[in-house]
Amino acid sequence: MNSQAQLNEASSPSILAVSPLDGYDWSTIDRAALLAERWKGRLIVLKAKNNRELSDAERRSIKEGIERRIAVLGPLAPVELISGAAYSSDAILEAVTQFTPRLVVMAPSVVWALGTLVDTAPETVAAGTRCPVLVTRSGSEDYASGLIATDLSPSCVDAVREALRLELLPVDRLTVLHAFSPLNEAMVTYAGVDPKEAERIAVAAEAKAMDDLDVFIDRCGLSGKVNARTSKAPPAAAVLEAANAIQADLILLGSSRRGGLARFLMGSTVGEVLTAARCDVLVAPGSSNALD
């Protein structure tokens, strides 16, 4: 992978935009350029073509096209184009290591194209480099409604704090969701538990889930600022249902470090949400096991 300059000065944060496999996805470039300008940083675009390195002429042409595009958005952030022979999670990891961006922005079309049977590219990058990844569909408008999905773990607290530092979450219209496992009715029936007692246990479990969520919100420093919501649905279904209900245009998920075999057998909440979500999704790293 080539670069023409060292862009990782601490005073000039960079945004790494991963262009899709065929042509440009301008929503990716637009979002990354907006953030680069807002943060007074640099826009780095990773581009690969036909499993070969770009020629100097191609690099100049692509860079000029990007600069013309983002010039209409406002002040022009410095643009650097880097290229590789092919797209891969390894290519993104290499670029993140070299340029230490504040954020990686990628299009939905590269999420699974760069993934594996058990990982998506955002999960690989967030877990492997501790760099947040924004999968964007929406271009350059500010987010108006956000959803934080949490399993209440300390790692999810770290992920929320990281997202707040990026100033992407619309705190004035933010909902925090916890999907918890309800009492298994079949097991209760098999165990011979009285139906009234089972109902009492279920109500108590729901109340505890809300209490635990309130504690989590307080640990994130968001008490009194957000809406709290619980769900008995499976995590991915709960996230998608809640996002649709509140018309979220940004979902925050914590990255997970669950082993590959466990992911293959049990699936990934992050992967399911990235596949089905209609809005942007921010995958933020935590300190240990996060939402999965």
Side-chain angles (χ1 to χ4, degrees):
M1 185 175 298
N2 298 323
S3 81
Q4 297 177 344
Q6 294 298 319
L7 305 177
N8 56 353
E9 297 93 344
S11 60
S12 181
S14 57
I15 312 296
L16 175 63
V18 183
S19 183
L21 298 174
D22 50 351
Y24 297 128
D25 185 305
W26 289 116
S27 64
T28 304
I29 301 298
D30 290 350
R31 176 67 64 184
L34 174 72
L35 294 173
E37 190 279 325
R38 180 177 298 171
W39 296 341
K40 307 303 179 186
R42 296 173 182 267
L43 173 60
I44 303 170
V45 180
L46 172 61
K47 177 71 178 176
K49 184 176 182 180
N50 299 329
N51 293 323
R52 62 175 175 80
E53 293 280 356
L54 297 174
S55 68
D56 289 343
E58 287 174 319
R59 290 167 59 88
R60 284 193 299 271
S61 175
I62 292 171
K63 181 179 177 181
E64 289 171 0
I66 292 171
E67 290 175 337
R68 285 194 299 271
R69 169 73 184 192
I70 66 176
V72 303
L73 301 177
L76 184 65
V79 177
E80 175 74 9
L81 180 69
I82 57 177
S83 67
Y87 283 102
S88 69
S89 292
D90 287 342
I92 302 176
L93 292 172
E94 181 182 341
V96 172
T97 300
Q98 181 177 1
F99 296 104
T100 59
R102 189 176 183 184
L103 179 70
V104 175
V105 182
M106 66 174 63
S109 58
V110 303
V111 168
W112 286 106
L114 303 185
T116 67
L117 287 175
V118 295
D119 265 327
T120 63
E123 291 173 282
T124 299
V125 174
T129 67
R130 322 305 299 149
C131 181
V133 179
L134 177 65
V135 179
T136 184
R137 297 168 170 83
S138 62
S140 58
E141 294 183 1
D142 287 337
Y143 298 114
S145 177
L147 176 68
I148 296 174
T150 177
D151 64 359
L152 308 181
S153 68
S155 183
C156 274
V157 175
D158 291 340
V160 172
R161 290 172 177 168
E162 176 64 24
L164 291 172
R165 281 192 288 270
L166 293 174
E167 299 181 341
L168 291 177
L169 295 171
V171 179
D172 56 336
R173 286 194 61 194
L174 194 57
T175 297
V176 184
L177 169 72
H178 171 46
F180 69 99
S181 299
L183 191 65
N184 189 301
E185 294 181 4
M187 292 182 63
V188 169
T189 301
Y190 180 79
V193 178
D194 181 78
K196 290 185 178 180
E197 176 63 12
E199 182 179 357
R200 186 195 68 78
I201 294 173
V203 170
E206 189 165 356
K208 184 179 185 304
M210 182 59 75
D211 289 343
D212 291 344
L213 180 55
D214 287 339
V215 172
F216 173 86
I217 291 172
D218 183 63
R219 290 170 61 196
C220 294
L222 293 173
S223 291
K225 302 177 182 178
V226 299
N227 297 314
R229 184 181 183 123
T230 61
S231 174
K232 300 177 184 178
V239 171
L240 295 169
E241 179 183 355
N244 183 61
I246 68 171
Q247 297 183 315
D249 48 19
L250 179 64
I251 298 171
L252 169 65
L253 301 173
S255 65
S256 171
R257 289 188 172 184
R258 177 183 289 173
L261 179 60
R263 283 180 183 273
F264 182 75
L265 295 176
M266 301 175 67
S268 161
T269 296
V270 175
E272 291 181 55
V273 172
L274 285 171
T275 300
R278 299 176 182 176
C279 62
D280 290 8
V281 179
L282 177 64
V283 181
S287 58
S288 55
N289 286 342
L291 179 69
D292 197 331

